[in-house]
Amino acid sequence: TKIKNFANKNIDLDIHVRTSMVRYWSYVKTAVIRIGNDILEVEGLPNFSLRYWINYEYMGGLTDIAGFPVSINANKDRYTIDLDKDYPGQKIEIKTFKEFVGVKIIGATEKSFGNAIGIMGDFQTGNTYARDGSTVLHDFTELGLEWQVLPSDGKLFHEIARPQFPELCYLPEDPRGERARRLAESDVTEEQAEAACAGLKDEFD
């Protein structure tokens, strides 16, 4: 997701995520938020430990990002970027659960996020567009490949990991999970993933 001239400050906001494949399903393992020249990267860990980089510095001093205050809750599983000074009541939250990472915009409005472009689709209609801004893509695999991070999108993660364009994103080989090889190592089982998601009304509660 990208927003140009965020908060009318002549700076951009970017949100990138990196997924990890486990058999025939995948999950977000790392998320990056860039506002202006500041970059916050958060990664999930199986032991619930805190793990982040601020401007590529591992576990560096974290008080704000581009002047927006950042806080971490007592459980060390929720990072909150407070947008209140420009957009009252709005915030960006990065939540972790073991290896799982999620990003949520709280209180988003047309004024703050109405011109966002990216894989999440159009703010008003919910349509998921290709990079040309006009072609509507209904197939999620096609949509994911369309919005794979390109060199022109910038290097936000602290380290390079495969696949990198022009190598395409990894895709499941078989919906039943009969894979010729493992594409990633993970301590998260399918059962744990289902348990983590079961019965949730809001994954950020």
Side-chain angles (χ1 to χ4, degrees):
T1 297
K2 185 178 189 68
I3 300 175
K4 292 188 175 182
N5 193 27
F6 184 67
N8 295 316
K9 296 180 182 294
N10 198 31
I11 58 176
D12 295 344
L13 180 149
D14 295 275
I15 302 174
H16 290 185
V17 297
R18 178 172 285 172
T19 60
S20 182
M21 185 78 72
V22 182
R23 297 195 296 276
Y24 60 95
W25 57 278
S26 64
Y27 63 95
V28 174
K29 186 172 184 178
T30 313
V32 166
I33 310 287
R34 176 172 65 179
I35 306 179
N37 294 321
D38 289 341
I39 301 173
L40 172 62
E41 177 179 350
V42 174
E43 182 176 309
L45 289 174
N47 63 358
F48 299 95
S49 297
L50 198 65
R51 186 174 174 83
Y52 70 85
W53 292 259
I54 180 69
N55 296 327
Y56 304 113
E57 180 183 355
Y58 178 62
M59 303 293 281
L62 181 57
T63 57
D64 72 275
I65 176 170
F68 295 100
V70 179
S71 60
I72 302 174
N73 68 344
N75 289 337
K76 299 182 179 181
D77 63 359
R78 190 192 309 258
Y79 303 71
T80 301
I81 302 172
D82 189 350
L83 307 177
D84 191 73
K85 68 174 184 169
D86 288 282
Y87 300 116
Q90 299 185 45
K91 60 188 70 175
I92 302 173
E93 289 189 344
I94 306 175
K95 181 75 165 54
T96 64
F97 175 79
K98 300 191 75 173
E99 291 186 55
F100 298 97
V101 178
V103 179
K104 188 171 186 179
I105 312 299
I106 308 296
T109 62
E110 175 73 21
K111 181 179 179 181
S112 56
F113 287 86
N115 67 340
I117 60 172
I119 197 171
M120 298 306 296
D122 181 75
F123 184 87
Q124 290 185 323
T125 66
N127 290 336
T128 46
Y129 291 106
R131 285 179 178 264
D132 63 12
S134 59
T135 304
V136 178
L137 300 178
H138 298 289
D139 182 89
F140 289 148
T141 297
E142 186 179 0
L143 180 67
L145 291 172
E146 174 72 7
W147 285 101
Q148 180 180 2
V149 174
L150 303 178
S152 59
D153 296 321
K155 177 186 177 296
L156 304 190
F157 294 95
H158 77 279
E159 66 178 3
I160 296 175
R162 295 183 62 191
Q164 293 287 318
F165 188 84
E167 182 184 13
L168 296 181
C169 295
Y170 297 137
L171 299 176
E173 295 176 4
D174 188 287
R176 294 174 296 172
E178 296 172 358
R179 300 177 58 80
R181 61 187 178 87
R182 296 295 179 91
L183 295 180
E185 294 181 356
S186 175
D187 292 328
V188 180
T189 66
E190 182 178 0
E191 291 73 21
Q192 288 175 320
E194 292 174 349
C197 298
L200 290 180
K201 294 182 180 179
D202 189 322
E203 70 275 15
F204 280 76
D205 283 345

